[in-house]
Amino acid sequence: VKKILVVDDSLSVRTEVAEALKPEGFDVIHAANAREAFACLTQHPDVSLVVLDVNMPGMNGIEALEHLRREGVVPGLPVVMLTTEAERSLVDQAKKAGAKGWLLKPVKPHLISSTVIKLAR
Amino acid sequence: LETEIHLREKAKLLLQRERELFDMRAKHEQIAIWLSLGQSLPELFENREAALADICDRLRRMLFAKLRMQRILIFEIQPGALQPLAPAGPPRSFSAELAALLAAQPTGMCNEPSEPGVLLLAETLGLHRFIWSRIAPSGGVPLLMVAGFDQSKARFQAPFVTNDVAHFVNAAQHVQSLLANALLVRELQQERDHLRRTNLALEQRDRELELATEQLRAANESLERRIRERTQELAGKNRELRLVLDNVDQALMTIDLEGRLASERSSMAERWFGPGRDEGSFVEYIAADARSAEQVGIGLEFLRDAILPREVCLDHLPKRLTVNQREFECRYLPIGEEEPPTGLLVVIDDVTERLAQRQQELEQRELLAAFTGLTRDRQGFLAFFAESERMIAELSGSDAGKTVYKYLLHTLKGNAATFGLHAVAALCHAAESELASDGRPRIGTMERLRIRWNGLAQNLQAVGADRQNCIEVSEADLARLTECARTGASAKHIISELQRLRWELIERPLSRLAQHASAIAPRLGKAELDVCVEADEVRLDPARWAPLWSALIHLVRNALDHGIEAPEQRISAGKSARGRLRFAARSVDGSLLLTIEDDGQGIDWDAVRRLCQERGLSYSGQNELVSALISPDFSTRRGVTELSGRGVGLAAVAAVVTQLGGTLSVDTSSSNGTRWQLTFPIDAPVAAAAGSNGLNSRALVPFSI
């Protein structure tokens, strides 16, 4: 069973993403911010993909991604960003930091599941 | 004697003459034989097809018939061997010495073999007295022709003389020329046959070529015919396609993944967006605004990268477009099954009318909701309306700051939604989003809000709803008043009771809040919700208390959005799946005690602490944390919904509580939920507003935990 980490400060968004992935047979774990996400990844190095919210209090999603890459936490782990709007500068920054993709809110369950199915390692 | 001598001499002479004559005759006979042989030889070669061995055999027979010889032998001279041709027999060895002899003496005779070379030849041939001649016809194999006798017969034969050799050689040379001729003729014949065959083959090839040419020509004709047919078919299809493109009421165009336009477009595209040019930029053509152009760029980039599923890439492309005050809806269909697709078919619909119609329907539903609200709860609705009107006037003022704007929009949105005025709520939400992203709402949005509100107000005025000089009196109120009069209550008391009829029972606004909670709960995934209202019979001046009910909507929304968990989460926390929300109003010793409590997950004080830390606020004590919690712009959530999350709710509540001279306290835990307690002096005068809007007054709010 592939394990997916969903990082978003909103419980309802985390729940929606989890609801979209569970029927596809994924095991979903949650984190409400970057700090929790780092702890989660240390505890679960077998995570197959991370869905990472961009706008979070504290360290934002892209900073968190850059930190993950810099610290070499789970190298090669696919990361998909999540925002209400994809801005050019953020997209470029995220791509540079190695983000695999970009999903838009509100969460559309079939798009979440097809992306994770395609990109989870 | 003399005569006798003379006669003897004469006889001697005669004998001599006789002998000479005999010799002459023999010689003549021999010459005749060779001559006849020479004349007969050509017969041997009349049959041109005859093999060399046959010719040699016949030559040998002829020589036998003509010459009086014991043996006639014909060999083929091969390297190292003499192969008998006539008569046939095993090959005989042919040494280098013999080869040298024949090279030096191609013709010769032997009457008594004595020299070593000739002796060897005699032994090889098995002859004692013989003549030989080597025949080397040009273009053929060399032959050796031999005639003679073996030792036993040679004794009875006259030795060969030079003439014999000459005749034999002559015959041999004759044979040699005839053989050469035959060979030449045969060669010519072969050459001619070869030529004839070649000619035949060429003719055959020629016929085949002609046939192939004919077939090619036929194939070419059929191909040309098919091309003509296909071209016509294609032209027909093109006409049909053009007909579709000319008549479809959508703008259709194809673009590549670099965002360049292809040449064919529907007529509607040209009508809406102009003629355009091939290979031109799609975003320039449709006059997309900067944001849409960026979305197109990002969506196409994701498609080119071919990492994400294509439907996710398409989701990034703009779905709406506003050009020349027309609203367009865009859809994108990828072309080709492979990844990435070769391009996109862009389908654009003009939805201006549809949107206008939808807006109209929304407005009609809103009007209906307004009338329903008015009928159900006249006082409550009119208080709300007056309060909203005031806020809209304030929003129209140009001097309002961002925080005030935010507060007003948020409160107005909440109030409007409570009474089912969803068009107004949606406009407030749009303005809030614009305020958040651009620093102020767009003028167009505010204008639409004002127009919408005026429309509602006009409609309500038309039915006389704005007349405030009507008072609803319930059966119970009437019965009580009648009872007062009947039992002889003082005039002062009756007047006071009559005055109070202008006021509304507190149960009314609390029920409105409860109704609102039940209405929005499903939208937040909290469908399982029990809401209860417990109220003492307290009447309040609706005009004075209206701002409180507006502000409490934020508290309700907070309770639903952040407090009460989703059903699964509640079950795993050991709670019942159904959430509970309770409103209570009690009158205790001249004070009004208002309680709003939920059984959700409580306030996340750690999150509040973290936010304080991030924002540089002091957070050492619980009081400071609560103070931070109710300050403007403070929200522990970033997921902004239409319902809550803008960080203005609690601040608004605090401001109004202060205004009404009340106090605020909160009691919260993750297992029991959150309980807000508001205490007001009922008969106290309204507290003077701190500042112009009360938003800076949080420090004045006394609270206890």
Side-chain angles (χ1 to χ4, degrees):
Chain A
V1 178
K2 287 181 178 174
K3 203 177 277 182
I4 309 300
L5 171 61
V6 181
V7 189
D8 197 308
D9 55 321
S10 156
L11 172 66
S12 55
V13 171
R14 291 201 303 272
T15 313
E16 282 172 62
V17 175
E19 291 305 313
L21 293 179
K22 275 177 190 159
E24 303 295 335
F26 291 105
D27 184 9
V28 181
I29 54 176
H30 296 248
N33 52 50
R35 213 186 345 246
E36 279 182 37
F38 300 151
C40 243
L41 285 173
T42 316
Q43 204 181 337
H44 304 272
D46 57 335
V47 163
S48 300
L49 181 141
V50 181
V51 178
L52 184 55
D53 182 30
V54 174
N55 292 310
M56 289 190 294
M59 192 184 276
N60 78 29
I62 294 175
E63 289 162 357
L65 175 60
E66 284 168 345
H67 175 86
L68 281 181
R69 297 297 187 224
R70 204 168 43 238
E71 299 293 313
V73 182
V74 201
L77 177 64
V79 174
V80 179
M81 308 308 296
L82 185 65
T83 48
T84 42
E85 275 192 331
E87 275 173 42
R88 169 52 72 190
S89 58
L90 292 180
V91 168
D92 290 345
Q93 201 187 341
K95 258 192 164 183
K96 206 171 152 196
K100 279 275 180 191
W102 201 289
L103 286 161
L104 294 179
K105 291 181 193 175
V107 171
K108 295 167 196 76
H110 68 289
L111 297 188
I112 287 269
S113 59
S114 66
T115 302
V116 173
I117 288 166
K118 187 166 181 199
L119 298 181
R121 56 174 190 177
Chain B
L1 187 65
E2 209 176 283
T3 307
E4 201 185 317
I5 293 166
H6 187 69
L7 275 175
R8 205 174 281 157
E9 278 185 2
K10 286 267 187 215
K12 215 192 275 180
L13 196 62
L14 183 65
L15 205 62
Q16 195 181 334
R17 287 286 181 268
E18 277 292 328
R19 206 178 287 131
E20 282 174 6
L21 195 63
F22 178 80
D23 283 351
M24 192 75 75
R25 198 174 287 142
K27 209 172 270 177
H28 181 258
E29 212 171 292
Q30 203 141 22
I31 287 169
I33 287 168
W34 285 113
L35 201 64
S36 123
L37 179 67
Q39 282 164 349
S40 307
L41 275 173
E43 290 168 24
L44 292 175
F45 297 92
E46 274 167 8
N47 180 5
R48 283 168 179 170
E49 302 301 317
L52 180 62
D54 284 345
I55 294 172
C56 292
D57 193 51
R58 289 180 59 212
L59 172 63
R60 179 169 167 270
R61 280 173 211 283
M62 192 181 278
L63 291 171
F64 255 130
K66 302 283 184 188
L67 307 174
R68 280 186 299 274
M69 297 281 184
Q70 186 199 359
R71 286 190 190 152
I72 306 227
L73 305 170
I74 303 171
F75 299 93
E76 188 180 310
I77 302 173
Q78 294 175 347
L82 283 177
Q83 178 64 46
L85 285 177
R92 300 183 191 177
S93 80
F94 183 60
S95 63
E97 196 182 344
L98 279 182
L101 174 73
L102 286 183
Q105 256 182 284
T107 59
M109 65 175 179
C110 165
N111 285 320
E112 192 70 49
S114 55
E115 298 168 46
V118 177
L119 189 60
L120 184 62
L121 183 61
E123 279 168 6
T124 305
L125 298 172
L127 294 177
H128 188 76
R129 179 167 296 166
F130 57 96
I131 45 183
W132 76 85
S133 180
R134 185 175 175 272
I135 302 172
S138 65
V141 286
L143 301 180
L144 178 64
M145 195 163 81
V146 186
F149 307 90
D150 62 15
Q151 197 161 13
S152 58
K153 296 282 188 214
R155 279 184 294 179
F156 307 102
Q157 293 297 329
F160 289 116
V161 292
T162 321
N163 253 348
D164 293 326
V165 178
H167 287 307
F168 192 74
V169 167
N170 193 27
Q173 274 172 356
H174 203 152
V175 167
Q176 177 174 304
S177 341
L178 285 167
L179 256 179
N181 274 350
L183 280 169
L184 195 63
V185 167
R186 187 170 298 174
E187 202 175 308
L188 279 173
Q189 183 80 23
Q190 278 173 352
E191 197 72 18
R192 208 180 58 194
D193 287 351
H194 178 69
L195 269 174
R196 191 180 298 138
R197 277 198 305 278
T198 309
N199 199 31
L200 278 175
L202 274 174
E203 277 172 14
Q204 177 70 19
R205 185 76 50 84
D206 202 31
R207 274 195 300 280
E208 283 170 4
L209 268 174
E210 257 172 42
L211 198 68
T213 310
E214 182 58 27
Q215 283 172 345
L216 266 176
R217 204 175 49 75
N220 191 35
E221 264 175 25
S222 118
L223 209 61
E224 277 180 2
R225 197 176 56 246
R226 279 172 59 195
I227 287 173
R228 271 196 305 277
E229 284 170 8
R230 288 286 183 275
T231 309
Q232 272 175 3
E233 218 171 293
L234 200 64
K237 287 264 182 282
N238 267 339
R239 275 194 299 276
E240 284 170 31
L241 188 65
R242 198 57 247 178
L243 201 66
V244 171
L245 289 177
D246 284 344
N247 291 286
V248 70
D249 60 353
Q250 292 170 316
L252 301 178
M253 59 197 86
T254 49
I255 59 170
D256 62 15
L257 292 191
E258 302 295 335
R260 286 185 297 252
L261 284 167
S263 57
E264 290 285 338
R265 278 178 287 285
S266 68
S267 302
M268 215 39 101
E270 313 230 321
R271 190 188 300 174
W272 292 339
F273 307 110
R277 65 191 161 80
D278 301 348
E279 302 275 306
S281 147
F282 166 63
V283 290
E284 281 172 23
Y285 180 56
I286 60 169
D289 55 277
R291 175 68 204 136
S292 302
E294 190 173 295
Q295 286 176 317
V296 169
I298 289 171
L300 292 179
E301 180 183 315
F302 285 154
L303 277 169
R304 288 197 302 271
D305 291 348
I307 295 171
L308 289 167
R310 53 168 62 174
E311 62 270 23
V312 176
C313 305
L314 296 178
D315 193 41
H316 283 272
L317 296 167
K319 289 153 199 77
R320 277 293 177 78
L321 206 62
T322 310
V323 179
N324 299 332
Q325 279 142 14
R326 307 289 296 173
E327 294 285 332
F328 296 101
E329 200 169 79
C330 309
R331 280 175 296 145
Y332 308 86
L333 309 171
I335 300 166
E337 291 299 314
E338 70 277 24
E339 290 296 346
T342 52
L344 297 175
L345 171 64
V346 186
V347 182
I348 304 181
D349 282 288
D350 185 344
V351 292
T352 315
E353 274 76 32
R354 204 197 306 163
L355 285 183
Q357 198 180 349
R358 201 180 297 161
Q359 181 64 23
Q360 210 177 347
E361 281 168 14
L362 185 66
E363 289 176 3
Q364 272 166 358
R365 265 207 306 279
E366 192 170 61
L367 195 58
L368 186 66
F371 282 134
T372 310
L374 189 66
T375 317
R376 191 183 295 148
D377 176 10
R378 188 182 177 82
Q379 276 182 325
F381 187 82
L382 289 175
F384 147 72
F385 208 81
E387 164 89 352
S388 303
E389 202 119 75
R390 183 185 64 73
M391 288 193 280
I392 284 179
E394 206 172 329
L395 280 170
S396 305
S398 55
D399 57 341
K402 186 177 172 182
T403 314
V404 179
Y405 246 106
K406 199 169 165 182
Y407 163 72
L408 290 172
L409 282 170
H410 198 62
T411 306
L412 185 58
K413 178 175 83 173
N415 286 356
T418 309
F419 284 95
L421 305 188
H422 296 299
V424 172
L427 283 170
C428 290
H429 183 67
E432 272 188 296
S433 300
E434 289 160 10
L435 180 69
S437 60
D438 307 341
R440 60 175 301 112
R442 287 181 205 150
I443 293 168
T445 312
M446 294 311 294
E447 183 64 13
R448 275 157 65 204
L449 177 60
R450 214 173 43 75
I451 291 171
R452 179 69 210 123
W453 188 263
N454 289 345
L456 268 177
Q458 273 169 15
N459 273 304
L460 290 173
Q461 268 168 9
V463 296
D466 59 331
R467 285 196 299 274
Q468 297 256 2
N469 52 358
C470 282
I471 292 171
E472 275 182 299
V473 181
S474 69
E475 290 275 357
D477 288 331
L478 193 63
R480 198 170 52 242
L481 268 172
T482 313
E483 187 61 19
C484 281
R486 203 177 57 75
T487 56
S490 69
K492 189 181 169 199
H493 180 71
I494 292 177
I495 287 168
S496 151
E497 282 295 315
L498 282 170
Q499 286 286 351
R500 278 163 50 84
L501 282 182
R502 290 178 176 278
W503 295 3
E504 68 175 351
L505 281 168
I506 194 168
E507 195 188 344
R508 269 277 169 81
L510 290 184
S511 298
R512 282 203 297 275
L513 286 172
Q515 219 175 338
H516 180 63
S518 302
I520 62 169
R523 287 157 67 188
L524 291 165
K526 319 278 164 70
E528 311 276 310
L529 186 66
D530 290 324
V531 188
C532 76
V533 177
E534 298 160 14
D536 288 351
E537 197 179 297
V538 178
R539 277 183 182 267
L540 297 172
D541 179 355
R544 189 183 150 201
W545 290 80
L548 176 67
W549 311 130
S550 294
L552 286 182
I553 287 173
H554 303 310
L555 220 56
V556 171
R557 292 180 168 191
N558 273 338
L560 291 177
D561 206 8
H562 311 291
I564 294 173
E565 313 89 331
E568 310 84 67
Q569 207 183 342
R570 290 180 61 84
I571 290 167
S572 61
K575 297 179 182 178
S576 80
R578 299 179 68 83
R580 204 168 56 81
L581 186 62
R582 178 172 164 269
F583 299 91
R586 288 176 57 213
S587 159
V588 183
D589 302 331
S591 288
L592 172 64
L593 193 62
L594 207 56
T595 307
I596 297 170
E597 67 178 326
D598 65 62
D599 66 343
Q601 60 194 349
I603 294 168
D604 185 352
W605 291 115
D606 287 340
V608 175
R609 232 171 257 125
R610 276 203 301 278
L611 278 173
C612 284
Q613 190 176 11
E614 276 168 29
R615 292 169 197 193
L617 299 172
S618 158
Y619 60 97
S620 55
Q622 194 74 10
N623 284 3
E624 280 171 326
L625 283 178
V626 177
S627 177
L629 186 64
I630 62 177
S631 68
D633 284 325
F634 193 93
S635 172
T636 56
R637 276 185 67 132
R638 282 294 180 88
V640 173
T641 67
E642 197 182 330
L643 297 175
S644 69
R646 301 274 189 193
V648 296
L650 289 175
V653 175
V656 175
V657 168
T658 311
Q659 228 166 353
L660 291 171
T663 59
L664 177 77
S665 73
V666 62
D667 185 8
T668 180
S669 80
S670 63
S671 51
N672 299 328
T674 305
R675 179 208 301 229
W676 290 93
Q677 285 218 305
L678 286 63
T679 313
F680 302 95
I682 301 184
D683 294 316
V686 181
S692 61
N693 49 49
L695 284 176
N696 302 322
S697 60
R698 62 184 155 81
L700 301 177
V701 182
F703 37 67
S704 59
I705 303 295

